[in-house]
Amino acid sequence: LATEQEVRMRQFQRHLARVRPVAARGEPHHTHAAFAETPLEHVQLLTSDIAGRSVRLEPYGVVLTKKQGRRLGVNPAWYLDMTKGHGWLTVPLNTLVDQAFAAGSFRDQPIASLTPFIEQMGTWDVGRKEFWWEREWRATTNIELPGRVMVLAPESDFAAITGAFPNTKSFPFRLLDPA
């Protein structure tokens, strides 16, 4: 029986081999891989406890430059302000989405290729969702990682990660603890 760390390392190896799009929560018709554009001085905020944050991120990731991401087909997400009274963009977009669903097969409609790149933001009666220091990028296709990348992982996992690649010359990652 594999230990929890061994299972995590196998998952990590598969993740590093290829970044694959996954279905967004609650929206099975959207599949995308998400990347956060975050200055290195703020990378610890991705996994920190922040008041009001509803998502707990794991301390693992792959670091790409914007240039690498663009070459791989990664595109910035479009933040759509959905604050009450800001309907000049949301109403036309929702109309296009409704029309696509009414047509029968959402995936076959042109708007379906845009919606994975759109993210809601704004202030509501029950809270807010804003992006002050981070920008999300997304891809809707499989991404083959370039030869050398930086990998975010807890320092406590560094030995297990490097141990998963017995030939150190073939270890194409630089490790960085996001904490």
Side-chain angles (χ1 to χ4, degrees):
L1 205 55
T3 67
E4 182 181 335
Q5 188 175 38
E6 289 170 333
V7 170
R8 282 193 358 229
M9 288 307 106
R10 281 198 291 270
Q11 291 170 336
F12 186 70
Q13 283 179 291
R14 285 193 298 271
H15 176 72
L16 288 178
R18 175 179 293 141
V19 177
R20 293 182 186 91
V22 295
R25 281 177 304 188
E27 302 193 35
H29 55 278
H30 287 178
T31 56
H32 62 268
F35 299 83
E37 178 183 328
T38 306
L40 282 178
E41 71 253 23
H42 294 303
V43 76
Q44 80 282 355
L45 295 174
L46 293 173
T47 58
S48 298
D49 289 327
I50 296 177
R53 178 184 271 171
S54 62
V55 175
R56 176 80 173 132
L57 300 175
E58 295 293 326
Y60 299 93
V62 177
V63 178
L64 301 172
T65 65
K66 286 186 207 179
K67 188 182 259 187
Q68 286 174 316
R70 293 290 301 269
R71 269 191 245 128
L72 294 169
V74 181
N75 198 70
W78 173 25
Y79 295 124
L80 189 62
D81 188 353
M82 298 184 73
T83 302
K84 188 174 182 176
H86 294 192
W88 58 89
L89 294 174
T90 56
V91 170
L93 180 66
N94 286 338
T95 300
L96 292 171
V97 170
D98 290 344
Q99 289 171 348
F101 275 110
S105 178
F106 180 81
R107 287 185 180 188
D108 295 333
Q109 303 303 312
I111 191 70
S113 63
L114 297 177
T115 54
F117 295 96
I118 299 172
E119 183 63 45
Q120 65 182 359
M121 62 170 282
T123 303
W124 304 275
D125 294 337
V126 294
R128 73 173 193 204
K129 182 179 179 182
E130 298 288 349
F131 300 91
W132 304 112
W133 49 263
E134 179 243 352
R135 179 172 177 89
E136 185 176 351
W137 291 58
R138 295 179 179 176
T140 58
T141 60
N142 289 348
I143 295 173
E144 298 294 331
L145 295 175
R148 290 197 62 82
V149 296
M150 188 181 311
V151 172
L152 301 176
E155 188 172 358
S156 60
D157 286 348
F158 283 8
I161 292 169
T162 55
F165 297 88
N167 179 354
T168 56
K169 290 182 181 182
S170 70
F171 186 72
F173 316 111
R174 293 180 189 210
L175 297 168
L176 175 68
D177 187 335

